[in-house]
Amino acid sequence: MLSKRKISCVALALMLAMFAAGCKKKAPPPPPPPAPRPEAPPPPAAAAPTVASFSAEPSTIQRGQSSTLRWEVSGDVASVSINQGVGAVQNTGNRRVSPSDSTTYTLTATGAGGTTTANATVTVTAPPPPPPPTPTGPSKSLEERITSDLQDAYFDYDKNDIRADAQASLTQDAAALKSILADFPNASIVLEGHCDERGSAEYNLGLGDRRASSAKDFLVQLGVPADRLKTISYGKERPACTESNESCWQKNRRVHFATGQ
Amino acid sequence: MRKLTWVVTALAAGTLLTLWGQIVGKVEKGIQMHHVAVPDFRGSGVSPNLMNAFNQTLWDDLKTSGQVVLVDKTMYPKTVPQQPSDFRQPPPTPNLQRRRGQEMAVPQNGGGLWMSDWSGPPVNANYLAFGYTAMQNGVLVLYGNLFDVTRSDTNPASQPLSKRYLATTADENGARQIAHEFAADILKIFGGSSLFGTHIYFVHQAAARSPKEIWVMDPDGKNQRQITHFNSTSIEPAVSPDGSKIAFTSYTRGNPGIFVFSVDPVRDLRFYNQVASVNETPSFTPDGKQIVYSSSAGHCCRIYIANLDGTGFRPITSSQFIDTEPKVNPKTGATVLFSTGRSGTEQIYIMTIDGADIQRVSEGTGEASNPCWHPNGQALAFAWTRGFAAGKFNIFVMQDPGSHNYVQLTHDEGKNENPSWAPDGTHLAFMSNRNGREQIWTMLADGTQVTQLTHDGLNYSPAWGK
């Protein structure tokens, strides 16, 4: 008796499993009817809902685009819901989603016969990267090279001697200048001499000239071709900084590089 | 106190110092200066705008001249004569002994129409300027008089000035013109000269980092006109001795170079610039036939002399130092003031026109620059940072380049630079940023009558010429 019940239970489980898998195949032949039993058999268990389909179309999107979830649930259904913030839905429907990252949506169909789940994944790809930055080298403009590769040389008050820090700057500038002048064979570079606001404008025009010419001499000694370097003095006509204090004055006592005509 | 001591010394020291005293000695001059009453003139058929321009110009010309003392207008009687025939001698003063109380309360006078109303208290003037303007056949006419009110003489022929003036235009410019001419005639009577007809060249900039152009204006700041249109940096104007040309420095061709222009009409006279990264600070020799300037040719910077067209250039100084701002003595043509870094910070030196006998003029402390000869070829004005942080220039006047006798004219009011003598030798134009922005100002050579001439944008480097 016990063994027969066991057999029928196994058969029932087999049938349920086939239902749950959505298998439309013909059920295997029913087991032989149970032998008459002294007590009533348990009522047949209701089948769990069947998720006929659950898909995301397209399944792969770029970030910012959207995908459509489609689902169809049949059987004895009490409720259908989708996680990831979609919430309760009808048995059959669709919903546009626009996840910012790859997301697996889980559809949960609940009925008297149990709960069935199915997954659909939307894969999110990053948008195509911006065009790669302009590679360094000849494609950078002369102005850009001057701005990025050359540094100003600074001077003491009323002096045009090349200080230790200016020697270091100009030594680096010399290497950069050779490279720039090689890349731009028709270009010439202007060394601008500038001064702070002290002293007369007239005298400073001379002082700025001396600074530009000291810097030029230094660069030429390091092998920068003299005929590609020009000088101009702006005295205190074009200050980089206009406050009346030493930190500002120091910024103005400089030789600055610019393109020649 | 220093100035007072100076003037006392000057008075004691004799003739050479008397000239110096005339330049800077207000105390000395004040004793002799005449007091002039200048009531507002009225116009017949002349708009109030024109009369305001006329009265303001007349007052300002006389006031800023430093030649006369103007009596405050609040002291004047209510009635003012408009022509010589308006004078009415009041009846003889009654005997005060008899009816004292009543007569004392109502003193007899001409109510403004008699000389003693102006010569007596509270006006206490020596002279009265009076008259009127009228529009006659579309021409603006001034009838101007200057009467010595210490003499009871109503005959115009025996008074200093009674004259008719015709304006060339019947507008505000015309009103200012006849006021300038009338003021000039008045000043001539007192032995002074008018600034009317002289010109101040200067550098104008609409805003910081805008182009700098050369402009010109009248000595009262009116009639401003643009000379250059290079849309570049044009600076350092200088005027030829006859006032017909200017020289200046401009970046319009790249590196700073010298230009010589005629001013009427404005024309580029094409100065040839020798090859150099800097050619700057041009000024004229007293004969107007040569230019001295500073050039970096070879190495910065030597003083050069060249012809008016830039040819025939030759250096005067060596190039060991920065030598700049050469100014040839306007009387002798034999010596040159210049500024140089040869002894450390910038100082003023003097040498012969051949570059010999180089001697320091400034004391050697601080920074001294912007030398400018007085028209007499003896005194000089300059900018000096004495007693102040580097860059804080003030205007000084020195008796002569060989002396260290100087007077400080500006005191602790921003930066004050580029002094330039007026042709009359009693006024100076200069640049000051005392009100926050660089502007052109004028003052008397004793530091009084400080007047702001420019107000728009930024203005620098005045050069005062004929």
Side-chain angles (χ1 to χ4, degrees):
Chain A
M1 188 66 193
L2 191 67
S3 69
K4 276 188 181 173
R5 270 192 74 179
K6 194 172 179 181
I7 289 166
S8 77
C9 277
V10 169
L12 184 64
L14 194 66
M15 276 172 61
L16 278 174
M18 290 171 75
F19 267 109
C23 178
K24 298 275 181 191
K25 283 180 185 165
K26 198 179 170 187
R37 287 172 300 186
E39 64 243 50
T50 301
V51 177
S53 69
F54 182 42
S55 65
E57 189 61 39
S59 60
T60 300
I61 59 170
Q62 280 182 16
R63 183 169 295 134
Q65 296 178 330
S66 58
S67 173
T68 303
L69 299 175
R70 294 180 197 280
W71 62 92
E72 192 176 343
V73 179
S74 58
D76 184 3
V77 182
S79 69
V80 179
S81 69
I82 301 174
N83 69 350
Q84 305 292 358
V86 177
V89 294
Q90 299 290 313
N91 293 1
T92 300
N94 60 70
R95 181 72 62 92
R96 287 174 75 84
V97 292
S98 184
S100 56
D101 293 300
S102 296
T103 303
T104 296
Y105 292 87
T106 300
L107 179 145
T108 303
T110 306
T115 296
T116 308
T117 62
N119 293 334
T121 298
V122 176
T123 303
V124 177
T125 60
T134 322
T136 54
S139 55
K140 216 173 173 184
S141 78
L142 179 60
E143 286 81 1
E144 287 166 340
R145 290 285 295 280
I146 288 171
T147 305
S148 64
D149 299 356
L150 298 176
Q151 50 191 321
D152 292 356
Y154 294 97
F155 293 81
D156 282 334
Y157 174 62
D158 200 15
K159 293 282 188 289
N160 58 283
D161 311 278
I162 307 292
R163 314 192 299 214
D165 63 324
Q167 286 185 19
S169 307
L170 288 172
T171 303
Q172 291 177 29
D173 288 339
L177 275 167
K178 287 178 202 170
S179 159
I180 292 172
L181 291 173
D183 290 342
F184 296 90
N186 297 320
S188 61
I189 307 284
V190 174
L191 282 73
E192 300 178 350
H194 296 273
C195 306
D196 68 32
E197 63 167 345
R198 298 171 296 174
S200 72
E202 297 82 359
Y203 180 86
N204 276 312
L205 215 50
L207 183 59
D209 186 76
R210 286 197 155 210
R211 285 175 178 162
S213 117
S214 293
K216 179 181 171 180
D217 291 347
F218 190 90
L219 293 169
V220 170
Q221 278 175 14
L222 294 176
V224 181
D227 60 350
R228 307 280 303 274
L229 299 179
K230 298 186 184 332
T231 62
I232 188 167
S233 172
Y234 286 111
K236 54 179 185 176
E237 294 290 333
R238 295 190 183 181
C241 178
T242 54
E243 290 158 38
S244 293
N245 56 54
E246 173 51 31
S247 104
C248 184
W249 290 331
Q250 178 60 85
K251 285 176 193 158
N252 289 332
R253 295 193 302 267
R254 72 198 197 281
V255 164
H256 180 73
F257 295 91
T259 53
Q261 282 89 357
Chain B
M1 192 60 207
R2 178 190 297 273
K3 186 159 69 182
L4 193 61
T5 312
W6 221 102
V7 169
V8 170
T9 315
L11 284 171
T15 52
L16 180 66
L17 298 188
T18 306
L19 176 64
W20 173 241
Q22 282 170 2
I23 296 169
V24 302
K26 192 195 176 193
V27 177
E28 185 186 32
K29 214 170 2 182
I31 301 163
Q32 318 162 343
M33 279 210 287
H34 293 292
H35 287 62
V36 182
V38 188
D40 282 346
F41 284 41
R42 286 185 285 166
S44 171
V46 182
S47 80
N49 281 351
L50 266 55
M51 288 317 296
N52 285 343
F54 172 87
N55 284 313
Q56 192 67 48
T57 303
L58 177 61
W59 183 270
D60 289 347
D61 277 11
L62 296 173
K63 173 100 177 162
T64 59
S65 73
Q67 308 289 327
V68 294
V69 175
L70 295 191
V71 182
D72 197 287
K73 286 182 183 178
T74 57
M75 302 292 181
Y76 300 170
K78 279 186 181 141
T79 310
V80 174
Q82 295 195 68
Q83 47 193 338
S85 58
D86 286 346
F87 283 109
R88 291 275 180 279
Q89 186 163 21
T93 307
N95 189 333
L96 296 182
Q97 292 290 65
R98 208 182 289 171
R99 297 151 72 175
R100 186 181 296 162
Q102 194 185 357
E103 297 303 329
M104 286 296 279
V106 187
Q108 289 286 317
N109 63 31
L113 293 179
W114 188 238
M115 312 281 184
S116 58
D117 303 337
W118 298 90
S119 62
V123 186
N124 292 325
N126 311 108
Y127 289 87
L128 170 66
F130 68 100
Y132 67 100
T133 68
M135 204 63 87
Q136 294 178 340
N137 301 326
V139 178
L140 178 59
V141 183
L142 162 68
Y143 296 91
N145 306 275
L146 184 77
F147 274 29
D148 179 349
V149 288
T150 62
R151 294 161 31 204
S152 299
D153 186 349
T154 60
N155 178 6
S158 57
Q159 286 284 4
L161 180 62
S162 189
K163 187 173 164 184
R164 188 179 69 150
Y165 300 82
L166 303 179
T168 50
T169 53
D171 56 8
E172 279 193 30
N173 286 335
R176 284 198 206 95
Q177 172 222 328
I178 53 179
H180 283 312
E181 290 176 0
F182 182 40
D185 283 344
I186 291 172
L187 292 172
K188 207 177 290 173
I189 286 160
F190 299 118
S193 59
S194 165
L195 299 170
F196 174 59
T198 65
H199 299 90
I200 298 175
Y201 295 86
F202 62 104
V203 174
H204 174 74
Q205 188 178 32
R209 298 181 190 280
S210 298
K212 288 181 173 177
E213 302 282 7
I214 308 295
W215 284 57
V216 65
M217 63 184 165
D218 290 350
D220 58 359
K222 298 289 195 301
N223 203 15
Q224 298 188 5
R225 305 184 304 280
Q226 186 171 351
I227 301 282
T228 62
H229 297 268
F230 283 141
N231 200 29
S232 175
T233 299
S234 300
I235 52 178
E236 302 173 348
V239 198
S240 69
D242 66 358
S244 69
K245 302 177 193 77
I246 58 169
F248 58 95
T249 307
S250 179
Y251 282 76
T252 187
R253 291 181 191 152
N255 281 69
I258 292 168
F259 288 77
V260 176
F261 271 30
S262 67
V263 295
D264 191 16
V266 173
R267 202 152 53 85
D268 185 346
L269 299 181
R270 301 194 184 281
F271 182 90
Y272 169 77
N273 278 273
Q274 60 175 311
V275 176
S277 51
V278 175
N279 290 319
E280 66 146 347
T281 60
S283 69
F284 292 83
T285 54
D287 62 5
K289 291 177 178 169
Q290 288 180 297
I291 298 279
V292 286
Y293 60 100
S294 171
S295 175
S296 69
H299 187 49
C300 170
C301 289
R302 280 180 279 186
I303 305 298
Y304 277 72
I305 187 163
N307 297 327
L308 206 54
D309 60 1
T311 62
F313 57 86
R314 60 185 167 86
I316 301 176
T317 62
S318 77
S319 63
Q320 273 176 282
F321 314 99
I322 300 172
D323 293 340
T324 188
E325 296 190 280
K327 300 289 179 68
V328 180
N329 187 306
K331 280 287 184 210
T332 68
T335 53
V336 184
L337 288 169
F338 64 108
S339 63
T340 171
R342 62 186 56 223
S343 54
T345 56
E346 188 179 5
Q347 297 291 326
I348 296 168
Y349 276 67
I350 192 169
M351 62 183 171
T352 69
I353 192 77
D354 299 320
D357 298 338
I358 299 179
Q359 290 180 325
R360 197 178 70 228
V361 170
S362 51
E363 276 200 349
T365 59
E367 302 160 312
S369 63
N370 304 152
C372 179
W373 285 107
H374 186 275
N376 69 13
Q378 291 186 348
L380 63 138
F382 61 104
W384 187 16
T385 61
R386 171 179 172 270
F388 295 91
K392 292 280 183 193
F393 285 106
N394 274 303
I395 307 295
F396 290 76
V397 173
M398 189 179 282
Q399 183 185 0
D400 70 75
S403 75
H404 280 183
N405 294 325
Y406 50 79
V407 172
Q408 181 172 350
L409 302 186
T410 61
H411 298 267
D412 208 13
E413 289 186 291
K415 288 194 283 189
N416 302 274
E417 300 175 35
N418 295 108
S420 177
W421 289 100
D424 71 357
T426 62
H427 289 75
L428 286 159
F430 62 105
M431 184 284 290
S432 178
N433 67 352
R434 62 185 61 195
N435 283 357
R437 309 187 73 179
E438 282 77 3
Q439 299 294 352
I440 310 294
W441 297 66
T442 56
M443 62 182 166
L444 283 172
D446 62 3
T448 62
Q449 301 281 10
V450 180
T451 308
Q452 185 174 353
L453 296 195
T454 59
H455 300 270
D456 297 332
L458 299 158
N459 301 280
Y460 317 81
S461 301
W464 204 330
K466 284 180 182 169

